[in-house]
Amino acid sequence: MPPSICDIGVHTKPKPKSNLYKKKKKKKKNKSNLSFDMDEGSTSHETQRFGSFGSFLRRCILSILSTATIPNHISFIMDGNRRYCKKKNLMEGAGHRVGFLALMAMLRYCYQMGIKCVTDYAFSIDNFKRRPEEVQSLMELMQEKIEGLIKEESMGYFIGNLKLLSKPVRLAAEKAMVATASNSRAVLSSCIAYTSTDEIVHAVQESCQEKWDEIRELNASGAGYGLMELDGNRREQGEHYIGVTDVEKHMYMAVAPDPDIIIRASGETRLSNFLLWQSAYCLLYSPSVLWPEIGFQHLVWAVLEFQRNYFYLKEKKKA
């Protein structure tokens, strides 16, 4: 089954004080622990210095990567969060919230790298088949996080059959798209209630409707030459047939260019009904780590692999 927003996590382990971990019995503070409290100030200072060094190192890596072609669009299939929850003994459902932080971290890295378009596979139509209480929990989380995205500087799109969403989530998504329409920093597209087959069927239906409307207008004006007459004659005007460009302009993902890289965590190489139409000439990168364990280094390796195969992929697109 395709991954959902519940299949995402974060690279860093949450603080034990949060409610994400299963409750454990509190241990009484021992006097011997007082010595550790005295070292908290120095430890904090060392952590800050280490963080500054890491930030400097990241800027150096980004500077090196910028000497070659940077991908314009990266998509993420976020997979492995429920396995991560079991692995880290997290409470059921806690990974959903932690996963949003992971997505925001990868989004920030992409922006720093100069990548203008990011797409995430948040919730598949097939995920509606899960337990009702799990689906309801995901809907509530999506509503909360969608409202939080309004504060971001990126332009937000919510891709998919939004009519399948609960009314509060749908309204939140529509509000967020209006609120972020003027943002120009980058484009974030979240695929919710989405599958590629549903997208293709929708695009074909819209294309057919558009062509029939054009033919009706021509017939009404007398310039249609009976194109709608059911007399069994073949249409000689090729422009009245549906072509690839007609379908593509009605795709949900028409708001963004085709992806250059699709990254799927957990080592899986399946696309799970995600961007099937758009991914013909993109690079698929599948690190073996679960999504919560994915980090900056995996994004760097994906970009390096893209740069190494850039001219090959470019020639394939021309062919």
Side-chain angles (χ1 to χ4, degrees):
M1 184 177 292
S4 70
I5 196 173
C6 69
D7 292 323
I8 58 177
V10 71
H11 178 59
T12 57
K13 182 178 178 179
K15 295 182 179 179
K17 288 184 178 180
S18 68
N19 294 325
L20 300 181
Y21 287 89
K22 296 180 180 179
K23 292 183 178 180
K24 296 181 180 179
K25 294 181 179 180
K26 294 183 178 180
K27 295 182 179 180
K28 293 183 179 180
K29 189 174 182 180
N30 201 328
K31 290 184 178 181
S32 60
N33 292 333
L34 294 176
S35 59
F36 292 98
D37 296 337
M38 296 174 65
D39 294 333
E40 285 184 357
S42 59
T43 302
S44 177
H45 183 65
E46 291 175 1
T47 302
Q48 186 177 5
R49 285 196 301 176
F50 181 79
S52 299
F53 175 74
S55 179
F56 170 75
L57 185 60
R58 187 163 60 247
R59 288 196 299 270
C60 291
I61 294 174
L62 294 177
S63 178
I64 295 172
L65 289 176
S66 65
T67 60
T69 304
I70 294 294
N72 189 41
H73 182 185
I74 289 185
S75 298
F76 295 103
I77 300 178
M78 302 170 288
D79 189 15
N81 182 69
R82 286 183 291 182
R83 281 170 283 172
Y84 180 78
C85 284
K86 294 179 180 178
K87 179 180 177 181
K88 297 297 182 180
N89 199 33
L90 292 172
M91 295 178 64
E92 184 180 359
H96 309 337
R97 297 186 177 277
V98 181
F100 182 77
L101 300 179
L103 177 60
M104 291 298 101
M106 297 305 290
L107 187 62
R108 184 172 63 253
Y109 295 147
C110 287
Y111 292 166
Q112 292 173 353
M113 199 174 289
I115 298 166
K116 298 299 182 182
C117 298
V118 177
T119 300
D120 65 272
Y121 198 6
F123 191 85
S124 167
I125 291 176
D126 293 334
N127 294 139
F128 283 109
K129 299 175 183 178
R130 294 184 175 182
R131 292 179 294 112
E133 55 271 22
E134 182 179 353
V135 173
Q136 179 60 29
S137 175
L138 290 172
M139 291 294 111
E140 293 173 356
L141 176 63
M142 279 194 282
Q143 181 182 353
E144 176 186 333
K145 298 308 179 184
I146 286 172
E147 293 171 349
L149 284 175
I150 297 177
K151 301 177 182 178
E152 297 294 322
E153 297 180 20
S154 59
M155 182 184 296
Y157 289 103
F158 294 93
I159 308 300
N161 192 347
L162 303 186
K163 294 181 293 185
L164 298 178
L165 298 172
S166 62
K167 185 176 180 180
V169 177
R170 186 174 66 253
L171 293 177
E174 292 171 353
K175 179 181 177 181
M177 286 190 284
V178 172
T180 62
S182 60
N183 294 348
S184 58
R185 180 183 178 186
V187 176
L188 171 63
S189 301
S190 292
C191 294
I192 54 178
Y194 172 92
T195 60
S196 191
T197 49
D198 178 75
E199 178 185 30
I200 294 171
V201 169
H202 165 80
V204 171
Q205 290 174 340
E206 290 293 311
S207 299
C208 290
Q209 186 61 51
E210 183 181 56
K211 284 297 180 183
W212 279 117
D213 291 342
E214 290 178 2
I215 292 171
R216 287 192 185 97
E217 290 179 5
L218 288 172
N219 283 334
S221 64
Y225 305 107
L227 287 174
M228 288 183 65
E229 293 181 3
L230 302 178
D231 56 1
N233 294 328
R234 293 185 178 182
R235 298 173 186 169
E236 297 180 356
Q237 292 85 351
E239 66 270 15
H240 295 294
Y241 288 103
I242 295 173
V244 172
T245 55
D246 297 308
V247 175
E248 286 183 337
K249 73 179 181 180
H250 289 290
M251 287 284 189
Y252 295 139
M253 283 299 297
V255 298
D258 291 350
D260 298 304
I261 306 173
I262 292 180
I263 298 177
R264 175 165 187 160
S266 76
E268 295 287 347
T269 55
R270 295 176 292 108
L271 291 179
S272 296
N273 215 344
F274 178 60
L275 303 185
L276 300 181
W277 182 282
Q278 299 86 354
S279 60
Y281 303 108
C282 81
L283 177 75
L284 177 60
Y285 179 67
S286 305
S288 59
V289 295
L290 300 176
W291 175 258
E293 299 164 332
I294 201 167
F296 177 73
Q297 70 273 25
H298 301 104
L299 181 62
V300 170
W301 279 114
V303 173
L304 286 172
E305 190 69 12
F306 167 78
Q307 292 176 339
R308 188 173 71 86
N309 293 279
Y310 174 72
F311 291 105
Y312 170 78
L313 295 171
K314 187 177 181 180
E315 288 300 320
K316 282 293 183 181
K317 288 182 180 180
K318 290 181 180 179

